[in-house]
Every structure is written in C-alpha cells, then in structure tokens.
Amino acid sequence: LRAAVFSTGDELREPGAPLPEGCIHDSNRYTVAALLERLGAEVTDLGILPDRAEAVRDGLAAAAARHDIIVTSGGVSTGEEDHVKGAVQALGGLHFWRVAVRPGRPLAVGLAGGVPFVGLPGNPVAAMATLLMLVRPMVLKLSGADPAPPVARRVRAAFSFKKRPGRREWLRVRLRTAADGTVEAERFPNEGSGILTSMVWADGLADLPEEMPAVAEGDLVDVLPFESLLG
C-alpha cells in the first residue's frame, strides 16, 4: 500500500531545528510513518503543509495522484487555520468527522481525489491511538489482508478511573506482576494527549467501552498490548 504522510501547521519545525516562540517539533510524521511501515505500507514522507487553504488542497491533490491512501495529522479541528477538512471536502468529501473517543475526537475520514483519506488529530498520543485502534483495520484491508481484531488481555486494574458514559476511552497502561502473582495494569498518571513519552512508557492501551462509567481498583479491564495492535 502506497501511503502519503503529511503533517500540517505553521508552528511545526523539524526535530532538532531551532524553535521560534510558539513553535514545536514535528514528531507525528515520524511516528505515523513508522507505524504505517510496521503495518506493511510503503510510506512517502511529504513533509509539513503550511496553514494555507490552497497549499493544503494542492498538496492533497498531488499526493492522491501517486498514492493509495493519504494520512495527515493536525488541521482537522475547528481553528481558523485548520484547513484540511475543507480541502478534503473540496477534493471529494468526508465520510465522517469527530468520533466519541478519547484521545482522538477530531478524527476525519473521507476521499481526496478518489483516494482514501485519514486526518489524524494533531496531538501525538491522539494521533498514535486513533491510528492503532481505528485506522489499522482500514490500512490492512486496503493492503489486501483480512484483519483480525487485536487480542486483548484481561487483567486487574491497579488504578481507579472515572470516565464519561457514551465515550470510548483508551488509557495508557503498563503491565506488572503484583505480589500475589496476578498481572495487573498500572495507569500513566497524566491523561494529556500531548505527552509522547507516555506511549514509550506504556505496554498498551486499556480499552474502556462506551457503557462503562468507571473503573475501580481491582476491576478487570481489557488491555490491548502494542504488539497485538502492530501485528
């Protein structure tokens, strides 16, 4: 599968480059490209698209002519300079925008120039989580595979957590063996979706379904190890 990968935003700079005030390093292009390659795609890194509607539209159109799927990060929320959603609508259309998940609510999926398009959120954890949990089956299916659901481990929660009913939530967790020999999940203490190091710390994602109102310490939860999501 030939995948084109963009990041979007005037505030982005290459890793290692000087950071003017208000700018951040672009990590998403590298993590997204690496995850897509792990899923078997041939990735073309097309750099950073500026926050200009015409540049975004032209970049997506050019990518559609040479690739089987386009994956971007950022530019799909509601800011004045978020032009990706409008560009996709002009080039084809959106199938859906925004999903009831956390992290990753502003996910967008559609067609741009006749090619499947995925607009990932700009926050690094949200981009990685939505790619692994929602985009993975799409990438495998387009590659000709018959994707099986990832295999979860049911383990004991070593934490308590209150969530919003009606929203699916994925918590970054690390597995450990308790004193009684039971495998349990330890939650990363900060839920911020910009903390890339939390994904390095974690072994996988605890999958909390929409109907679950809360997790109490000692409850059983389903954990999706990263190796299951990347197989």
Side-chain angles (χ1 to χ4, degrees):
L1 190 74
R2 298 169 301 171
V5 174
F6 290 102
S7 290
T8 66
D10 290 340
E11 75 281 7
L12 297 180
R13 297 293 184 273
E14 291 290 345
L19 284 181
E21 185 176 354
C23 293
I24 57 173
H25 288 129
D26 178 17
S27 62
N28 282 0
R29 235 167 63 243
Y30 298 91
T31 53
V32 168
L35 292 174
L36 289 172
E37 287 176 350
R38 180 71 179 265
L39 294 172
E42 178 184 298
V43 177
T44 305
D45 180 352
L46 294 175
I48 300 169
L49 289 172
D51 286 326
R52 297 194 304 276
E54 184 177 353
V56 173
R57 187 172 60 250
D58 290 349
L60 295 181
R66 299 182 288 114
H67 297 87
D68 305 308
I69 186 172
I70 301 169
V71 182
T72 66
S73 67
V76 291
S77 195
T78 56
E80 292 182 4
E81 297 298 338
D82 289 335
H83 299 297
V84 174
K85 185 162 65 78
V88 174
Q89 289 172 323
L91 293 170
L94 286 177
H95 296 325
F96 63 83
W97 172 56
R98 290 183 173 176
V99 285
V101 300
R102 183 185 183 212
R105 182 170 180 251
L107 179 75
V109 172
L111 287 174
V115 172
F117 163 85
V118 177
L120 301 171
N123 280 323
V125 175
M128 294 176 72
T130 49
L131 194 156
L132 291 171
M133 299 296 289
L134 301 177
V135 183
R136 169 186 172 271
M138 176 182 177
V139 169
L140 294 177
K141 192 74 173 178
L142 289 170
S143 301
D146 185 13
V151 178
R153 293 189 64 180
R154 196 150 181 81
V155 302
R156 187 172 67 193
F159 60 89
S160 58
F161 181 78
K162 186 175 181 180
K163 64 177 286 292
R164 179 184 297 178
R167 181 174 69 188
R168 198 170 202 96
E169 299 204 20
W170 301 310
L171 305 181
R172 287 146 274 176
V173 296
R174 185 163 61 184
L175 300 180
R176 67 188 187 191
T177 302
D180 62 1
T182 302
V183 176
E184 59 184 16
E186 173 188 7
R187 180 175 72 93
F188 191 76
N190 191 318
E191 286 303 299
S193 58
I195 306 172
L196 184 57
T197 50
S198 66
M199 295 295 276
V200 179
W201 173 91
D203 294 320
L205 301 173
D207 184 23
L208 309 185
E210 290 83 353
E211 65 275 10
M212 178 183 285
V215 176
E217 189 169 350
D219 286 351
L220 294 178
V221 293
D222 288 330
V223 172
L224 295 164
F226 288 136
E227 61 262 27
S228 175
L229 293 167
L230 290 167

